[in-house]
Amino acid sequence: MKALLAAALLTPPLLTSVAAPALAQTAPAPAAPVAPRTPPKLIVAISVDQFSADLFAQYRNRFSDGMARLAGGVVFPAGYQSHAATETCPGHSTILTGMRPAHTGIIANSWIDQKAGRADKTVYCAEDERVAGSDHDNYMPSDLHLKVPTLGDMMKRANPQARVVAVAGKDRAAIMMGGHNTDQMWFWGGQRFISLAGRKETPVVTRANAAVAALLAAPQAALPLPGYCKALSQPIAVGEQTLGTGRFERAAGDAKAFRASPALDGAVFALAAGLIQDMKLGQGPATDLIAIGASATDYIGHSRGTQGSEMCIQMDQLDQTIGAFLAQLDAWNIDYEVMLTADHGAHDMTERQQQRAMPMETHLDPAAVAKGVGAAIGQELGVSGAVLLGGAEGDIYVADTVPAARRDAVLAAAKRRYQAMPQIAAAYTGAEIMATPMATTPPESWTLLERTRASYMAGRSGDLIVLTRPRVTSIIAPAPYYVETHGSPWDYDRRVPILFWRKGMTGFEQPLSVETVDIAPTLAATIGLPVSGLDGRCLDLDAGAGDTCAR
């Protein structure tokens, strides 16, 4: 894609392409024998939504630009979003807080609050449900439910001169990484970049929105298919769709297709660069932070799967987009440190898995949906009305209308029925979960109960947590833009890469597991910011005898 954002975002030198900005590439500087000792002037924290450790491993030898640069730094290929609720909002809440979802309060993308003062009792993680007329689909974006500070919040508390910015393709990514006290926060709102209530567009955001509007108004031709992607370009029938060979052709005005394409990441990184330029981030008296949520990989994964031409092209375009962004920071002579990770993993769609040596891969039986299970329990126990609320997995709630004297019996019956289902691995009551201590062992060794404990919060989470067996997708029937998903407690959804890079850093690789909650204390140590009481620990980024955690 060669659509120019050009003068809409930056004065020369320019980011010249939305999907793959065509800046001169800057090779990584030769590594120094020790890690840099002075704090960086800018922290760049990147989350690539749904960038599993498996995707990183699959394309690592294909990366030749930005991702290749980062892979030359300190690499933890076995990072873990260690909790069970491997969704976008919980995952993003761990990255810059150092806290697990049980403590951040972000236990899922949405949950049921039966005491919410509105007809719609489903609450979205990044909304303020107290706003009149709000529901979980039409809401006012808010940081209301994030119960802990982010690294940016801690930095501003220690030094008010620090600037904190968040830009993302999703509101929940920007809010959960940016935190409560950002100087600028912008996220894709469907047609343009928007922000929290009361925030006015700055000139760079206005220019960006005008440029993206012009881009959307024109059709998009097929993106180039790299040679190494040709073997993956094979058609696959999924429901009424045929996928696997797409190249992101788009009709004029199709904003939904734009969102599920590399162009979204290009727009996000271009706006991030524009904000860095306009605000002179990394050039002030204190270290600044910009959090960037690259959401296209997730939208593409959900709509096209992970193993066709579509994801292969996305990996190529993301590599180039990040490379151009970093080259622009180099051109501005900014001393920056980059961290890149993901909010969760994923694996490919059921239909393609079945063709590729996984015949046991299956869709979830609709009999597992809470409404039907609750109806059967109501008939069994003589309880009228709604009995269970929720979906087919994850948080299941006993309806408040169930008489108090019958709630224990309903919960016991629900647990028994779910445990008897062949596709269900476990069903835990809230009491069982809360009685379980937080795990202290390596995350790959955690029990299902320990994984569940890490994302369970009493009073917000369900009365019962239901977990599917491996290779059972929670998608009951695939549909347009929804053929693959995540959210399970299994390692293909939990494992993500964690990368750190800074000019002069001596790179190394540590294959043993670490957690995303380790990122915040690690970055804090690089800028000399004391932190305590976090779930994560500082990771030593010095390849030798030195210790970046001991500054």
Side-chain angles (χ1 to χ4, degrees), residues 222-397:
L223 296 183
L225 183 71
Y228 61 84
C229 294
K230 291 179 180 178
L232 295 175
S233 185
Q234 300 179 20
I236 178 76
V238 185
E240 298 181 357
Q241 304 177 85
T242 299
L243 307 172
T245 61
R247 291 171 57 183
F248 301 105
E249 304 90 334
R250 174 179 56 77
D254 189 344
K256 195 167 186 179
F258 172 87
R259 187 182 72 171
S261 80
L264 176 63
D265 286 346
V268 166
F269 276 96
L271 177 55
L275 287 164
I276 290 170
Q277 182 189 49
D278 275 23
M279 297 176 67
K280 294 182 170 50
L281 298 182
Q283 301 177 50
T287 297
D288 300 320
L289 181 149
I290 185 166
I292 304 173
S295 306
T297 300
D298 185 71
Y299 286 126
I300 293 165
H302 283 302
S303 61
R304 301 290 186 266
T306 67
Q307 295 302 310
S309 62
E310 302 94 345
M311 188 59 76
C312 193
I313 291 171
Q314 164 62 6
M315 290 293 100
D316 175 68
Q317 294 283 299
L318 179 67
D319 180 34
Q320 294 181 54
T321 296
I322 292 176
F325 173 77
L326 299 181
Q328 184 63 76
L329 300 190
D330 293 338
W332 288 331
N333 200 30
I334 297 173
D335 178 8
Y336 62 93
E337 180 174 7
V338 183
M339 182 286 305
L340 184 145
T341 189
D343 54 341
H344 54 72
H347 74 309
D348 202 20
M349 63 185 73
T350 297
E351 290 74 12
R352 194 155 43 206
Q353 294 278 34
Q354 290 171 339
Q355 290 186 2
R356 298 185 176 182
M358 293 294 147
M360 72 292 291
E361 186 88 8
T362 185
H363 291 281
L364 187 61
D365 190 329
V369 174
K371 183 177 180 180
V373 176
I377 292 171
Q379 187 173 16
E380 172 192 342
L381 299 180
V383 178
S384 61
V387 175
L388 296 181
L389 306 175
E393 59 160 357
D395 295 275
I396 307 296
Y397 300 80

Side-chain angles (χ1 to χ4, degrees), residues 18-387:
V18 172
L23 290 173
Q25 297 177 15
T26 301
V34 295
R37 292 298 175 184
T38 57
K41 296 296 291 181
L42 176 66
I43 292 174
V44 180
I46 302 171
S47 171
V48 178
D49 200 319
Q50 204 185 122
F51 187 46
S52 67
D54 294 330
L55 267 183
F56 175 65
Q58 181 177 354
Y59 287 97
R60 187 170 181 179
N61 290 336
R62 302 295 189 183
F63 293 136
S64 60
D65 201 338
M67 289 298 302
R69 183 198 295 216
L70 300 184
V74 177
V75 179
F76 298 93
Y80 274 80
Q81 290 280 4
S82 49
H83 51 272
T86 50
E87 294 184 317
T88 299
C89 213
H92 278 106
S93 81
T94 71
I95 293 171
L96 291 182
T97 65
M99 303 293 274
R100 298 179 183 128
H103 294 140
T104 67
I106 309 301
I107 54 94
N109 282 350
S110 60
W111 52 84
I112 293 175
D113 181 358
Q114 298 185 69
K115 295 178 173 58
R118 64 185 191 188
D120 174 25
K121 304 299 183 182
T122 300
V123 175
Y124 174 55
C125 63
E127 72 158 305
D128 185 347
E129 68 274 17
R130 301 169 301 181
V131 175
S134 175
D135 63 44
H136 75 282
D137 288 323
N138 300 285
Y139 55 86
M140 184 72 70
S142 170
D143 61 1
L144 172 68
H145 297 297
L146 180 63
K147 294 187 172 295
V148 296
T150 62
L151 178 62
D153 294 327
M154 299 177 213
M155 290 168 62
K156 291 183 77 70
R157 183 185 304 159
N159 186 345
Q161 292 182 298
R163 276 90 53 81
V164 176
V165 173
V167 183
K170 296 181 181 179
D171 53 12
R172 54 190 181 269
I175 290 170
M176 299 304 153
M177 293 177 69
H180 304 285
N181 295 292
T182 54
D183 294 275
Q184 292 287 331
M185 177 184 289
W186 297 94
F187 38 84
W188 185 245
Q191 295 284 340
R192 59 191 292 112
F193 287 103
I194 62 174
S195 191
L196 302 176
R199 303 249 180 145
K200 295 182 179 180
E201 281 191 8
T202 62
V204 68
V205 179
T206 300
R207 296 194 300 269
N209 279 331
V212 174
L215 183 69
L216 272 171
Q220 171 61 53
L223 296 183
L225 183 71
Y228 61 84
C229 294
K230 291 179 180 178
L232 295 175
S233 185
Q234 300 179 20
I236 178 76
V238 185
E240 298 181 357
Q241 304 177 85
T242 299
L243 307 172
T245 61
R247 291 171 57 183
F248 301 105
E249 304 90 334
R250 174 179 56 77
D254 189 344
K256 195 167 186 179
F258 172 87
R259 187 182 72 171
S261 80
L264 176 63
D265 286 346
V268 166
F269 276 96
L271 177 55
L275 287 164
I276 290 170
Q277 182 189 49
D278 275 23
M279 297 176 67
K280 294 182 170 50
L281 298 182
Q283 301 177 50
T287 297
D288 300 320
L289 181 149
I290 185 166
I292 304 173
S295 306
T297 300
D298 185 71
Y299 286 126
I300 293 165
H302 283 302
S303 61
R304 301 290 186 266
T306 67
Q307 295 302 310
S309 62
E310 302 94 345
M311 188 59 76
C312 193
I313 291 171
Q314 164 62 6
M315 290 293 100
D316 175 68
Q317 294 283 299
L318 179 67
D319 180 34
Q320 294 181 54
T321 296
I322 292 176
F325 173 77
L326 299 181
Q328 184 63 76
L329 300 190
D330 293 338
W332 288 331
N333 200 30
I334 297 173
D335 178 8
Y336 62 93
E337 180 174 7
V338 183
M339 182 286 305
L340 184 145
T341 189
D343 54 341
H344 54 72
H347 74 309
D348 202 20
M349 63 185 73
T350 297
E351 290 74 12
R352 194 155 43 206
Q353 294 278 34
Q354 290 171 339
Q355 290 186 2
R356 298 185 176 182
M358 293 294 147
M360 72 292 291
E361 186 88 8
T362 185
H363 291 281
L364 187 61
D365 190 329
V369 174
K371 183 177 180 180
V373 176
I377 292 171
Q379 187 173 16
E380 172 192 342
L381 299 180
V383 178
S384 61
V387 175

Side-chain angles (χ1 to χ4, degrees), residues 350-485:
T350 297
E351 290 74 12
R352 194 155 43 206
Q353 294 278 34
Q354 290 171 339
Q355 290 186 2
R356 298 185 176 182
M358 293 294 147
M360 72 292 291
E361 186 88 8
T362 185
H363 291 281
L364 187 61
D365 190 329
V369 174
K371 183 177 180 180
V373 176
I377 292 171
Q379 187 173 16
E380 172 192 342
L381 299 180
V383 178
S384 61
V387 175
L388 296 181
L389 306 175
E393 59 160 357
D395 295 275
I396 307 296
Y397 300 80
V398 177
D400 280 354
T401 53
V402 173
R406 310 305 305 277
R407 292 182 64 84
D408 288 347
V410 165
L411 187 58
K415 178 179 171 70
R416 183 181 69 251
R417 284 177 177 270
Y418 276 110
Q419 286 180 321
M421 294 180 181
Q423 292 182 323
I424 300 304
Y428 300 121
T429 66
E432 290 177 289
I433 298 165
M434 290 303 294
T436 302
M438 286 286 185
T440 57
T441 54
E444 70 273 18
S445 69
W446 290 11
T447 66
L448 284 181
L449 192 52
E450 288 172 328
R451 298 175 195 192
T452 305
R453 179 66 188 91
S455 49
Y456 189 90
M457 180 180 180
R460 179 168 291 179
S461 297
D463 299 298
L464 189 72
I465 302 294
V466 174
L467 305 175
T468 58
R469 293 189 184 277
R471 302 190 177 98
V472 177
T473 177
S474 60
I475 296 177
I476 293 174
Y481 290 95
Y482 192 54
V483 300
E484 166 260 83
T485 195

Side-chain angles (χ1 to χ4, degrees), residues 493-545:
D493 284 348
R494 298 170 75 219
R495 292 178 61 249
V496 298
I498 302 176
L499 315 176
F500 296 89
W501 184 90
R502 187 180 176 194
K503 186 177 180 179
M505 173 184 282
T506 299
F508 68 86
E509 183 153 337
Q510 173 50 267
L512 297 180
S513 62
V514 296
E515 296 183 65
T516 54
V517 293
D518 299 333
I519 293 169
T522 302
L523 292 174
T526 68
I527 60 173
L529 176 67
V531 295
S532 61
L534 304 183
D535 290 328
R537 65 181 180 88
C538 179
L539 303 174
D540 177 14
L541 303 183
D542 192 304

